Structure formats: structure tokens, C-alpha cells
Amino acid sequence: MMTRDYLSTNKAIWNADAVNWVTIAERLWRLETPEWGTWGNAEEDLSMLPADMTDMDAIELGCGTGYVSGWMARRGARVTAIDISAEQLTTALGLAAEHGADIAFIEGNAEATGLPDAAFDFAISEYGASIWCPPDKWLREAWRLLRPGGQLVFLGNHPLSLICSPLDGSPAVRTLHRPYRGMWGADWTEVEFEPTGVCFNLTISSWMDLFAEIGFDVARYQELYAPQLASGTRAAIPADWARSYPVEQVWHLRRIG
Ligand SMILES: C[S@@+](CC[C@H](N)C(=O)[O-])C[C@H]1O[C@@H](n2cnc3c(N)ncnc32)[C@H](O)[C@@H]1O
């Protein structure tokens, strides 16, 4: 397990990288129907969000440019959104104003929000806390924030995409490059190709054990692929690879107790 200060590392990386996400964010904020993950999987296939969120208190953990929060606000939710990067929040605030979305943005760490217990009906993370925070930390915080019976939905990299990724950061291949057993994530800060921050992931059985230990029931587990017509390479995963192997995973959980 790495010892790097992942919080300040990831914060600095996202502050520096925020400018590169503005155009993508502008497109996603404008969408009528949500698209998810690197390959734009359709909401009608994934059901990430309740169709009607009227009167629901919702929180996005690691909101980045805020488009998921924008979609929830449009569905009627009262939305809180937290992110550790001031620069990402600047984009989110600008786009929320442009779209007339009333969202309470907070600059802070999604592992320790400082928000009250049991204040939310719904929590979500798409490539936010779901990959940038150690699971045992941010999942406990999500559980604390949810009301009993509240839902947590999160999307991140599939463990298979990590073990097929070479150690130098070059695109995924059909060969195993890392052990699966003992998986905790990866430090991408010093790789040769497209360096970024420190990400976290677990084996499927470790995710399941952690959910049970914290007090979440699994309502649904989904494995996502690139669409048949996809081409090119996104986030170091070639479309050809992602059509045959799951590139992302979505967990739909419910707080018990
Ligand atoms: C790829 S963005 C995902 C958010 C959103 N779906 C988007 O694409 O704009 C990742 C975000 O996670 C944020 N993040 C990383 N670590 C965090 C932490 N500990 N607490 C809150 N946000 C964090 C980063 O600042 C970044 O804005």
C-alpha cells in the first residue's frame, strides 16, 4: 500500500487539470438525458438516478464540474455537492449559474464533509470519491450522511481494467500486468504516460465485504463496456479492449440500519 499524501496530491492535480475539463463539462451540463462514464453509457441502461427526485436531499461526493448535480437538480432534488478542488468548483459554479441550477457547492474532502448525520436520501459519485478516496474512508462517510434506507450509487474503474494496465501508464492490453489479490488501487503520479493522481480500487469480494461491514446492502451491480461503434482510446483504455472487457463498474447500494 502506498504512503503518498494522496489528498494533497490529488487536489493539486485536479486544480492544475481543471482547465482541460471545461469544454466536456459544458457539453454534459447541456444534455437532456444523462450519459455516464468514459464511454457515455446511457441513463436508460443504467438507471443511476431516480426519475423523479422531487423533495429528495441529494449529495454528490467529488462533484468536479457539477453536471451530475445539475441533472439531479433538474429532477427536483435539493442538491449539495462537495469537491476538494477550488478550480473544478469555479467551473461548476459558473455552469450552475448559467443553467439556473440551485446547488450548494462546498469546497472540502468527501471523506470528512462536516455535514450532519442522516441528512440525505441519495448520494452519488461518478469518478469522484469513488476512485480518488480510500473506500473504507469515503464509504463510511457516505453511510453516515445517508438516512436509513438511503441510496448510494457510484461509478468507477472496473478492477479488470486496472490489472490489464501496464505499470508505465500506457493503454490497457489483453495481458495481466498487476496482481488482483490484494488490490488497493494505483499511484499514477510518476508513470511515463499521462501521469495523474492516486486512485483506489478493490477486488470484487473486498468491495462486498466492506459494504457488509459498514452497513450497505447491494441492490445492483453493473459492469460497463464501450459501445459497439466506439473507437479510439479514452483514459488509457482502447475501445477495442473495452468492448470485450468491463471497463467500469457501478454499485447501487442501500444503507441498512
Ligand atoms: C473526474 S472528476 C469527477 C467528477 C465529475 N463526474 C466530473 O467529471 O466532473 C474527479 C473529481 O474528484 C475530486 N476529488 C478528488 N479527491 C477528492 C476528495 N478527497 N474529496 C472531494 N473531491 C475529490 C477532484 O477534485 C475532481 O474534481
Side-chain angles (χ1 to χ4, degrees):
M1 171 55 125
M2 43 66 61
T3 51
R4 186 186 294 281
D5 175 357
Y6 64 91
L7 280 176
S8 49
T9 299
N10 291 343
K11 178 177 177 166
I13 278 160
W14 278 103
N15 276 333
D17 206 25
V19 65
N20 299 315
W21 293 86
V22 175
T23 306
I24 295 166
E26 286 168 347
R27 185 183 82 77
L28 291 165
W29 266 91
R30 279 196 303 270
L31 288 182
E32 288 289 322
T33 316
E35 289 174 6
W36 300 98
T38 312
W39 298 95
N41 281 277
E43 171 64 5
E44 66 176 8
D45 297 330
L46 303 191
S47 301
M48 300 274 290
L49 299 177
D52 182 2
M53 299 184 75
T54 307
D55 286 335
M56 289 178 82
D57 293 301
I59 184 161
E60 184 178 3
L61 298 164
C63 65
T65 54
Y67 52 86
V68 174
S69 290
W71 298 336
M72 294 196 290
R74 227 188 279 161
R75 287 170 187 235
R78 282 181 295 273
V79 184
T80 301
I82 185 165
D83 200 281
I84 204 166
S85 159
E87 297 299 325
Q88 285 277 81
L89 287 173
T90 298
T91 305
L93 280 162
L95 286 164
E98 195 180 314
H99 288 264
D102 184 13
I103 295 165
F105 287 105
I106 300 170
E107 184 182 336
N109 177 8
E111 300 165 356
T113 61
L115 294 165
D117 290 354
F120 297 93
D121 306 294
F122 186 84
I124 191 162
S125 181
E126 184 214 29
Y127 279 122
S130 55
I131 69 160
W132 299 102
C133 298
D136 61 317
K137 291 195 174 167
W138 81 269
L139 284 172
R140 283 181 206 285
E141 179 69 353
W143 186 93
R144 188 187 69 75
L145 292 171
L146 285 169
R147 300 183 174 120
Q151 270 180 275
L152 169 64
V153 177
F154 69 92
L155 183 154
N157 308 108
H158 194 286
L160 194 57
S161 66
L162 181 54
I163 58 175
C164 289
S165 294
L167 300 182
D168 63 3
S170 55
V173 289
R174 294 171 185 238
T175 309
L176 305 180
H177 279 274
R178 299 159 195 264
Y180 181 69
R181 188 177 194 172
M183 174 180 286
W184 64 268
D187 182 339
W188 301 102
T189 51
E190 286 170 20
V191 298
E192 192 178 342
F193 300 97
E194 299 191 35
T196 176
V198 182
C199 296
F200 298 87
N201 210 332
L202 299 175
T203 65
I204 310 269
S205 61
S206 299
W207 281 113
M208 301 277 289
D209 287 348
L210 187 58
F211 299 149
E213 184 188 315
I214 294 174
F216 282 116
D217 261 350
V218 178
R220 190 170 180 195
Y221 175 67
Q222 295 160 303
E223 295 175 313
L224 311 190
Y225 299 85
Q228 281 309 321
L229 296 178
S231 59
T233 294
R234 297 188 186 179
I237 308 284
D240 178 54
W241 189 96
R243 273 195 297 272
S244 302
Y245 302 100
V247 61
E248 293 163 330
Q249 60 182 354
V250 179
W251 293 96
H252 297 249
L253 310 180
R254 197 167 283 282
R255 174 182 157 160
I256 46 177

